[in-house]
Amino acid sequence: MKKIVEKVKTKSIAYAQTNILFFTFTLTSVFNGMLLRFLTVKNYFEIKPILGDLIIVLVIGAFGYLIKPKHQFKYFLGWSIFFSLLCIVNSMYYTNYLSFASVSLLATSLQVVDVGDAVIQNVMEIKDFSYIWQLFALIFVHISLRKKDYYEKVSKVEVGKIRILNTLIGALIATGFFVSMLTSLDISRLGKQWNREYVVMKFGIYMYQANDLITSLKPQISPLFGYDENYKTFRQYYENREDKTINNAYTNILKDKNIIVIHAESIQDFLLHTQFNGQDVTPNLKRLSEEGLYFSNFYAQESVGTSSDTEFTFNTSLMPANSGTVFISYWDREYITIPKLLKEKGYYTFSMHGNNCTFWNRNNVHKEFGYDNFYCYTKDFKIDETIGLGLSDQSFFRQSIPKIQKVKEKNGKFYGVMIQLSNHTPFNNKGEDISDFDVSMNYKKIDETTNEEIEVNAPYMEGTKLGSYFKSAHYSDEAIGSFIDQLDQNGLLENTAIVIYGDHDAKLKKGEYTRFYNYNPETDSILEKDDPNYREIDYYDYELNRKVPFIIWTKDGTIKHEQVDKVMGMYDVLPTLGNMLGIKSPYQLGHDIFSIDDNVVVFPDGNWLTDKMYYSHQKDEGKMLNEGDTVSKEYIDKYNQISEESISVSNSIIVYDLIRKAKEKSLIVPSMMQK
Ligand code: GP9
Ligand code: MN
């Protein structure tokens, strides 16, 4: 027995001594996987993702033994470069989107790069590059080994094939342990891949990325993969789904009216309720919300396709794609959209935007969505004033008036979407603030020498990113105000409704709000955490604050003022506005907000929000909106199921082009039938 132990010991030592480079590669790679989780999802010490990473690294490392020891360094260095890059990209991605990168986003990323300084200002953080140490470690070990003639010595003892086999057996044993630890929830989430943070937390970054490659390629290689199954689920879903729209006070209220939609770039709802020294940040939006129909708990449901995802959800009442972006990868599928439905009612439909016509592939998509014309940047506008990515909002709106006038004269009733641009991250124009809206704080204090009350000024949000956002949003709001004035002066508000939505939140980091809520003007600093007035912004506060305004307004009071506090998502626009206009899509996933009492807003990452609670799919926990309220487990299960169904049915429609297929098969779904 002693002999055997001795033998195993010597063999193991000899094995380790002749595999130093392999071990360095394996350990540094696995360590980087842990480091990535430490800097992102935080569960760096959990065994499952460590094993997941180890399995991938062992399998890849094993094939290094096919190469002569002298040249193995190149192989391991190559993979180390690849792995570190993978960690850097994912770390940067997480810094920006709180999620992980996907191969399917490559095409989308090229669009994002176009956003220029917006990305560069946001993306880079020193910690994102910390993974490079792996390369130095490998090079250092390699140089020391070379000096000791290590490779010559190893050449004499190493039998490549046996080492591959041993390593693969090692990987297989690790896989056995790994699989035995997985729960059915883990496996199902790996298959779906849309809760990316969860997959990284349980499977590690390398296994996540390998799985991502497979899931991303699947629909590209052949939409036939799983087609039948997806079609069946889609059909059953719509067969069982009842159309909840009922006749209500808003039914047909806007029938045959002109509609002008304003896509308000990065406008969040809290702006409407924020003042500095008595001045509103967005006085025009505030006024419209006080005069018109104002939805105070309205959420965008965008994924990585930001503006374009919102356009998609607004137009179709479907959710964004699980991987990639509809506007880039799935734009040529058949969708039922607002412009298409209105065209059937005799409307002329158009969109306008002050950026390149090709941005987000809009030149193709808008045609496909049924807009009769897409007026864009260099093609249709004079570039007389630029802010950020393109034409300034003021110039854009000014130049749009004669165009709308012409449309009205030539075509009669119309539906037009005006996509704003100036209030885009990084909320400055070549480093300069976009407006001089004052974001400082005036406060009163007692003068120590005269003992009299005096008014003094503290910088407050001046010089901060959130401060720049307020200034930029103020400009954008001013542009909306003058647009409405000009429409009015030109008689374009007659018989017209204005619809305004914020396209998504400003994507500012949670930390940006600390100063905003906890400022002490007297010391020009942030309150201490233990100060009774200190306001902590937690995950849920941040998520709930991402809501955007949604307003429907008419000059002539056709739409009376009402504030709707029910939760509502971008996918409820088509059903709600549709009820007012007399249109509906049989595939709409949202609801007419005036026909439903228990609405749910599903987010693309599986989170959801009802009037009772915000639920985080990743954390598997939620927060009640009213303290003391409770919900049952069944309640959570029910909404989890609704959210999973909405996400997956929507994704099947997008990937497998199911609306076109249903049309070809003349499938009539019950919700298609008019009541
Ligand atoms: C680009 C504009 C902004 O033309 O719509 O897009 P975003 O970066 O918000 O997706
Ligand atoms: Mn946008």
Side-chain angles (χ1 to χ4, degrees):
M1 184 67 188
K2 211 176 159 194
K3 259 189 184 169
I4 297 172
V5 172
E6 243 351 89
K7 208 174 161 190
V8 169
K9 206 171 141 195
T10 11
K11 277 225 160 178
S12 307
I13 291 171
Y15 190 80
Q17 280 173 341
T18 52
N19 284 285
I20 296 177
L21 199 65
F22 171 84
F23 281 126
T24 311
F25 165 72
T26 307
L27 293 177
T28 53
S29 302
V30 172
F31 184 83
N32 262 354
M34 290 169 74
L35 183 61
L36 178 84
R37 281 181 286 106
F38 173 69
L39 294 174
T40 56
V41 285
K42 312 282 181 228
N43 74 332
Y44 53 99
F45 228 69
E46 202 173 307
I47 189 73
K48 271 198 269 190
I50 296 180
L51 271 179
D53 279 343
L54 181 69
I55 294 163
I56 298 285
V57 176
L58 283 180
V59 171
I60 287 173
F63 292 94
Y65 289 120
L66 282 178
I67 302 163
K68 286 206 178 94
K70 216 166 59 185
H71 302 300
Q72 279 172 7
F73 170 66
K74 288 178 205 148
Y75 179 84
F76 290 125
L77 183 69
W79 275 106
S80 300
I81 293 174
F82 180 74
F83 282 161
S84 334
L85 276 177
L86 212 71
C87 291
I88 292 171
V89 168
N90 276 292
S91 182
M92 281 190 340
Y93 198 84
Y94 195 88
T95 306
N96 270 265
Y97 299 107
L98 295 182
S99 185
F100 294 96
S102 163
V103 183
S104 60
L105 292 176
L106 273 180
T108 309
S109 316
L110 294 176
Q111 281 288 331
V112 178
V113 170
D114 247 20
V115 189
D117 56 349
V119 164
I120 290 165
Q121 286 210 7
N122 262 340
V123 163
M124 312 285 176
E125 279 193 9
I126 298 211
K127 69 172 169 45
D128 298 330
F129 294 91
S130 50
Y131 312 90
I132 296 179
W133 76 276
Q134 177 180 18
L135 309 182
F136 294 112
L138 204 76
I139 293 169
F140 175 78
V141 170
H142 167 65
I143 294 174
S144 335
L145 292 178
R146 209 174 44 191
K147 276 191 194 147
K148 291 181 194 149
D149 289 334
Y150 165 85
Y151 295 111
E152 278 76 36
K153 287 179 203 156
V154 170
S155 304
K156 289 177 194 143
V157 290
E158 185 171 297
V159 184
K161 279 181 198 150
I162 293 181
R163 293 227 158 146
I164 295 184
L165 199 69
N166 286 345
T167 316
L168 289 179
I169 289 172
L172 202 68
I173 295 169
T175 308
F177 278 118
F178 180 62
V179 172
S180 71
M181 285 171 174
L182 294 177
T183 63
S184 55
L185 184 71
D186 295 343
I187 295 166
S188 116
R189 288 192 174 175
L190 181 74
K192 291 180 185 139
Q193 183 81 357
W194 46 260
N195 194 334
R196 300 174 183 280
E197 309 83 69
Y198 186 90
V199 176
V200 172
M201 280 170 88
K202 301 295 166 190
F203 293 84
I205 189 67
Y206 306 124
M207 198 170 276
Y208 157 79
Q209 210 75 72
N211 186 57
D212 169 71
L213 184 69
I214 299 164
T215 20
S216 305
L217 289 179
K218 224 163 64 179
Q220 314 294 341
I221 298 167
S222 164
L224 287 176
F225 266 119
Y227 167 73
D228 290 337
E229 194 190 319
N230 278 282
Y231 186 75
K232 195 173 145 212
T233 324
F234 156 82
R235 223 188 54 207
Q236 281 170 352
Y237 178 81
Y238 283 107
E239 271 170 6
N240 296 328
R241 189 185 155 89
E242 53 169 317
D243 179 8
K244 294 195 173 149
T245 310
I246 48 165
N247 266 330
N248 55 49
Y250 288 97
T251 308
N252 292 333
I253 195 169
L254 296 178
K255 200 157 185 246
D256 292 328
K257 294 236 181 286
N258 302 315
I259 307 291
I260 296 177
V261 178
I262 301 175
H263 168 120
E265 175 61 44
S266 304
I267 293 286
Q268 266 171 258
D269 183 76
F270 81 106
L271 293 169
L272 276 64
H273 316 290
T274 303
Q275 291 190 332
F276 286 86
N277 305 317
Q279 301 300 313
D280 287 312
V281 176
T282 55
N284 293 292
L285 287 171
K286 187 178 171 195
R287 178 177 61 84
L288 295 168
S289 74
E290 286 166 355
E291 292 175 7
L293 188 52
Y294 168 51
F295 302 88
S296 63
N297 280 305
F298 180 80
Y299 288 80
Q301 292 161 294
E302 87 289 357
S303 177
V304 292
T306 45
S307 281
S308 73
D309 279 347
T310 276
E311 278 190 54
F312 175 69
T313 301
F314 178 94
N315 266 303
T316 60
S317 187
L318 296 175
M319 300 285 294
N322 287 353
S323 22
T325 301
V326 172
F327 270 44
I328 306 296
S329 312
Y330 306 105
W331 59 276
D332 53 354
R333 313 302 206 238
E334 168 112 22
Y335 303 110
I336 308 249
T337 63
I338 297 180
K340 281 187 194 167
L341 292 166
L342 284 178
K343 267 158 70 97
E344 286 172 13
K345 304 266 172 195
Y347 276 77
Y348 181 84
T349 62
F350 64 88
S351 55
M352 294 195 192
H353 186 41
N355 193 3
N356 294 332
C357 313
T358 52
F359 201 96
W360 279 131
N361 197 23
R362 284 191 178 103
N363 51 331
N364 289 317
V365 179
H366 282 206
K367 212 182 282 164
E368 201 64 30
F369 276 17
Y371 290 104
D372 289 312
N373 198 358
F374 172 40
Y375 299 82
C376 48
Y377 205 35
T378 40
K379 182 165 78 70
D380 303 287
F381 291 89
K382 202 164 141 247
I383 314 304
D384 52 4
E385 186 187 45
T386 58
I387 291 181
L389 296 166
L391 194 60
S392 75
D393 282 354
Q394 286 282 14
S395 173
F396 167 65
F397 282 136
R398 196 174 45 240
Q399 293 186 53
S400 72
I401 298 287
K403 299 185 201 308
I404 302 176
Q405 191 81 269
K406 228 184 198 162
V407 163
K408 187 183 166 188
E409 281 159 19
K410 237 178 108 188
N411 306 286
K413 59 183 177 185
F414 62 86
Y415 170 83
V417 179
M418 315 297 297
I419 303 168
Q420 286 191 281
L421 184 61
S422 299
N423 186 43
H424 192 280
T425 186
F427 311 114
N428 63 48
N429 188 26
K430 301 187 184 86
E432 298 283 313
D433 280 330
I434 291 174
S435 78
D436 53 11
F437 182 74
D438 183 5
V439 292
S440 69
M441 185 187 274
N442 292 337
Y443 69 100
K444 292 198 168 66
K445 73 169 195 183
I446 304 294
D447 188 290
E448 280 166 19
T449 44
T450 62
N451 228 2
E452 275 174 23
E453 193 180 66
I454 49 164
E455 189 163 90
V456 269
N457 180 270
Y460 193 21
M461 299 310 288
E462 293 289 347
T464 65
K465 198 154 181 189
L466 183 53
S468 299
Y469 174 56
F470 290 132
K471 287 170 191 275
S472 163
H474 181 75
Y475 168 85
S476 180
D477 174 81
E478 227 167 28
I480 293 177
S482 34
F483 178 50
I484 291 179
D485 287 347
Q486 290 169 69
L487 287 171
D488 198 10
Q489 285 152 17
N490 288 279
L492 290 166
L493 288 183
E494 308 311 320
N495 214 24
T496 299
I498 305 284
V499 175
I500 306 175
Y501 64 85
D503 71 337
H504 48 74
D505 66 307
K507 316 274 176 207
L508 293 172
K509 295 206 183 102
K510 207 162 68 184
E512 299 281 341
Y513 293 91
T514 314
R515 186 179 175 90
F516 180 55
Y517 290 119
N518 299 296
Y519 184 62
N520 179 351
E522 287 173 20
T523 53
D524 183 26
S525 61
I526 296 167
L527 297 174
E528 295 294 329
K529 277 200 169 168
D530 54 10
D531 190 291
N533 292 323
Y534 188 87
R535 179 169 163 191
E536 180 86 46
I537 313 296
D538 69 12
Y539 169 82
Y540 295 100
D541 299 327
Y542 179 80
E543 289 301 323
L544 290 165
N545 190 50
R546 289 178 61 205
K547 66 182 172 183
V548 295
F550 181 47
I551 302 166
I552 304 177
W553 177 88
T554 52
K555 184 193 165 191
D556 62 9
T558 306
I559 296 278
K560 308 258 174 316
H561 171 64
E562 186 181 342
Q563 178 168 324
V564 179
D565 295 328
K566 285 188 252 184
V567 294
M568 183 176 179
M570 197 61 77
Y571 66 1
D572 297 315
V573 172
L574 166 49
T576 305
L577 193 61
N579 178 47
M580 298 180 180
L581 287 161
I583 54 169
K584 72 166 69 155
S585 160
Y587 302 106
Q588 56 197 32
L589 289 175
H591 297 99
D592 167 31
I593 198 72
F594 299 108
S595 299
I596 185 164
D597 283 327
D598 52 351
N599 201 25
V600 57
V601 179
V602 174
F603 295 97
D605 58 2
N607 290 3
W608 49 259
L609 171 69
T610 63
D611 286 323
K612 281 191 178 345
M613 84 183 297
Y614 185 98
Y615 181 82
S616 161
H617 193 246
Q618 182 198 339
K619 294 180 196 287
D620 223 347
E621 57 163 55
K623 184 179 176 168
M624 300 308 299
L625 302 185
N626 296 315
E627 236 174 271
D629 250 10
T630 49
V631 289
S632 61
K633 188 173 172 308
E634 288 72 40
Y635 183 90
I636 294 179
D637 290 347
K638 172 180 152 191
Y639 286 106
N640 266 336
Q641 195 193 336
I642 293 179
S643 84
E644 295 220 4
E645 268 175 0
S646 313
I647 293 171
S648 75
V649 162
S650 202
N651 195 57
S652 305
I653 291 178
I654 294 166
V655 173
Y656 299 99
D657 203 2
L658 295 182
I659 295 181
R660 192 186 309 273
K661 302 277 158 47
K663 230 175 162 184
E664 282 164 13
K665 294 188 182 187
S666 316
L667 173 75
I668 308 269
V669 295
S671 57
M672 230 173 192
M673 293 185 265
Q674 297 291 333
K675 285 204 163 177

